[in-house]
Amino acid sequence: MIHLKKLSLTQLFNLIILTQVGVSVLSIPFAESKHAGYDSWISVFIGGVIAQAIITIIYCLSARYADRALPQYMSNIVGKIMGSILNIAIGLYCAESSLMVIVSYSDVLGRWVLIRTPWLVLVGISFGIAAYIASSSLRSIAVITQNIMIMFFIAMVIIFISGIGKGDIRHFFPIGSHGVGAIMRDALPAFWAYAGYELLLYVFPALSYRKKKDVFLVMTVANGCTTLFYMLIALIVTFNFSENQLKVIPEPMVFILRQFKWPVVQSLDIVFMTIWLAVTTVTAYIYLFLAARYLSYSFGKEMGNHAVIVWLLAIFCFGLGIFGSDRKVIFQFSNYHSFATIVVIAIIPLLLLLISITRGKVGAR
């Protein structure tokens, strides 16, 4: 475990929230309104509920092995060979998640703010910053993330201010008219937006707490705050746009920020996306850090220099990210990432928990 001191529950709270939120903030509720329309805010809420169910599974698994991180006890549950395979798979997923975040936000920046900036520069700088922070200890990463939380609060204020402009309350009615089936279908894309809480599988033994239940409470509150934040965005966007507009505007929040007139700031959308760059960077370097940790355990024990592994992964992901300038590639990549997310953060933890319970495998209590 790469850390100098135990992490506080407050730091866990910050890590979970800032790992959950990311590029999806700008697109909510575009994907969630495909079938649910102006009931998309309900789909967003249900996505948070599903995420809470997965958090419960992850907590139960982590609490059984509270003294070790997932890559350390994986082989105890499924055997050495399968444990190594799963560690490699999760490590590659984390690297792919970091790549997805950086490529997606670079695409947004390239289309809205830095139009003339070469794609290589956008992706290269992003990976450089992420790798530099990810090569640090977990304790240092937690401190940096705690400071970035200030930027998150500033972004929240900007979203709230811009969202109180002109709109139509009739966009919300009649509530639920699209049917339960349509709302549930769009709850799946909403669930993908909450990914990030699987961080607990690695950081649990590094936490400082009185009772294990305190960890679950903090995770629940963090996920609840993210759910409320996403719902706020969905409500603001629905208030400002009609149902037909929701289905054709990929980044509705950017339109709202651009249309809002504030005497103090000329282009609020540029200010927001500049601030939000720091928030999305958190997701990128957390996943890059996790990727290095999981891959280092792939042979049954911690191997290699952490910083070296991080930079090698960053260089490899940068090479793949070069092809992300084509939006069709991003869409295809996004579909694969969505499937991988369900497998890694939901199916694998559930199967590991069931196998552990069945075999009576448990760590120190």
Side-chain angles (χ1 to χ4, degrees):
M1 179 70 66
I2 306 297
H3 68 274
L4 301 178
K5 297 180 181 179
K6 292 286 186 177
L7 304 184
S8 68
L9 294 182
T10 300
Q11 290 175 323
L12 172 65
F13 177 82
N14 296 332
L15 283 170
I16 295 301
I17 287 184
L18 295 188
T19 306
Q20 282 188 306
V21 298
V23 188
S24 56
V25 166
L26 300 177
S27 60
I28 286 177
F30 173 70
E32 295 78 11
S33 64
K34 294 295 184 180
H35 306 94
Y38 44 65
D39 289 326
S40 58
W41 63 274
I42 304 178
S43 298
V44 171
F45 172 75
I46 294 176
V49 174
I50 298 174
Q52 182 59 39
I54 305 302
I55 287 175
T56 303
I57 294 173
I58 289 176
Y59 166 77
C60 291
L61 176 62
S62 301
R64 291 176 65 85
Y65 303 87
D67 61 328
R68 287 171 288 172
L70 176 60
Q72 293 175 306
Y73 63 79
M74 184 90 74
S75 59
N76 292 349
I77 300 177
V78 295
K80 185 175 181 180
I81 297 177
M82 182 58 67
S84 297
I85 293 175
L86 289 178
N87 276 331
I88 293 175
I90 296 176
L92 292 177
Y93 164 77
C94 291
E96 181 247 337
S97 296
S98 181
L99 173 62
M100 183 69 195
V101 170
I102 289 178
V103 168
S104 298
Y105 202 69
S106 296
D107 174 64
V108 174
L109 289 176
R111 287 185 291 107
W112 288 95
V113 182
L114 306 174
I115 301 175
R116 297 185 179 180
T117 304
W119 178 259
L120 290 176
V121 175
L122 291 174
V123 177
I125 292 178
S126 298
F127 270 116
I129 296 174
Y132 177 76
I133 300 176
S135 60
S136 305
S137 67
L138 182 59
R139 172 69 178 179
S140 299
I141 290 176
V143 173
I144 294 172
T145 304
Q146 196 166 10
N147 293 328
I148 295 179
M149 197 70 178
I150 299 175
M151 309 293 284
F152 174 70
F153 286 128
I154 294 175
M156 284 184 61
V157 172
I158 293 177
I159 289 175
F160 179 77
I161 292 176
S162 64
I164 59 177
K166 296 181 180 180
D168 193 340
I169 193 67
R170 291 174 297 179
H171 290 165
F172 297 102
F173 301 103
I175 297 176
S177 62
H178 292 78
V180 177
I183 294 174
M184 292 303 298
R185 287 178 67 183
D186 284 339
L188 186 58
F191 162 70
W192 294 328
Y194 289 93
Y197 44 80
E198 67 275 16
L199 170 69
L200 182 66
L201 291 168
Y202 182 83
V203 304
F204 201 106
L207 298 176
S208 175
Y209 52 85
R210 293 183 179 180
K211 298 180 180 179
K212 292 179 183 179
K213 293 182 179 179
D214 294 339
V215 177
F216 179 72
L217 178 60
V218 169
M219 293 289 294
T220 300
V221 173
N223 185 66
C225 290
T226 303
T227 301
L228 291 176
F229 179 59
Y230 279 165
M231 284 184 63
L232 172 65
I233 295 176
L235 290 171
I236 288 175
V237 172
T238 304
F239 178 68
N240 283 270
F241 295 109
S242 67
E243 184 171 318
N244 292 331
Q245 290 174 320
L246 285 177
K247 295 181 179 180
V248 297
I249 302 177
E251 288 104 16
M253 199 64 233
V254 180
F255 275 91
I256 293 175
L257 292 168
R258 175 157 293 189
Q259 293 172 0
F260 185 78
K261 304 300 180 182
W262 196 11
V264 181
V265 181
Q266 182 176 1
S267 300
L268 193 59
D269 58 318
I270 296 178
V271 174
F272 175 84
M273 284 191 283
T274 303
I275 295 174
W276 200 252
L277 176 62
V279 179
T280 56
T281 302
V282 174
T283 308
Y285 67 64
I286 288 294
Y287 275 120
L288 200 57
F289 173 87
L290 292 176
R293 293 292 82 221
Y294 276 101
L295 291 177
S296 68
Y297 281 103
S298 60
F299 296 101
K301 60 181 180 178
E302 189 172 8
M303 299 180 63
N305 184 284
H306 174 69
V308 173
I309 298 175
V310 168
W311 281 103
L312 287 176
L313 285 173
I315 294 173
F316 176 72
C317 290
F318 169 71
L320 295 177
I322 294 176
F323 302 98
S325 57
D326 186 350
R327 297 205 72 201
K328 292 182 179 179
V329 174
I330 296 180
F331 291 143
Q332 294 173 352
F333 185 31
S334 178
N335 292 331
Y336 164 76
H337 176 72
S338 299
F339 173 77
T341 298
I342 295 177
V343 173
V344 172
I345 73 175
I347 296 178
I348 290 180
L350 177 59
L351 291 177
L352 290 175
L353 178 60
L354 293 176
I355 294 173
S356 176
I357 294 174
T358 302
R359 294 183 176 181
K361 299 289 186 180
V362 65
R365 294 184 180 275

